[in-house]
Amino acid sequence: MSKAGKSVSFKVPASKLASGADAWIANRGAVPVTDQESGNVTSLKSVEAAPIEAAKEKMSRFTIDVPESLHRRVKMQCAARGQKMADMMRDLLEREFPAS
């Protein structure tokens, strides 16, 4: 006797998915405003977006090996500053090697 595999499918109305995605896209960069007592998000406050660059330059990957202790120090400093490691490294490289 063989066991037939049971198929289970989950259906989510497309309208719910689309409206959630549309809301997320429309509110990118918005800062949540929370209720002081409950801590619940009550609204989203728009933040001015950075100016759109004319043309984005193609990115290229840069891989280096560093000691774990240095990696840990960089990661901790970036976390403390609320900055991504990749952004910090790009800034550091731009300062060290400015465009001529």
Side-chain angles (χ1 to χ4, degrees):
M1 182 189 254
S2 67
K3 292 185 178 182
K6 184 176 180 180
S7 172
V8 177
S9 63
F10 295 94
K11 294 183 182 180
V12 177
S15 62
K16 285 187 180 181
L17 290 174
S19 65
D22 291 340
W24 178 81
I25 291 169
N27 292 312
R28 278 188 312 207
V31 177
V33 177
T34 58
D35 180 10
Q36 294 297 326
E37 291 179 16
S38 67
N40 294 329
V41 174
T42 57
S43 63
L44 294 173
K45 178 180 173 186
S46 292
V47 177
E48 285 190 35
I52 298 174
E53 295 177 27
K56 294 254 182 178
E57 187 174 349
K58 183 179 174 187
M59 300 296 266
S60 187
R61 186 151 309 269
F62 202 129
T63 305
I64 63 170
D65 294 324
V66 297
E68 286 184 15
S69 60
L70 174 59
H71 184 271
R72 203 171 16 258
R73 290 192 312 268
V74 171
K75 190 167 190 157
M76 287 173 48
Q77 284 295 313
C78 288
R81 297 174 188 173
Q83 188 177 22
K84 292 181 181 176
M85 288 178 67
D87 292 338
M88 186 277 308
M89 294 303 291
R90 279 189 285 272
D91 292 344
L92 185 128
L93 290 168
E94 282 291 340
R95 282 193 310 268
E96 188 64 27
F97 304 102
S100 323

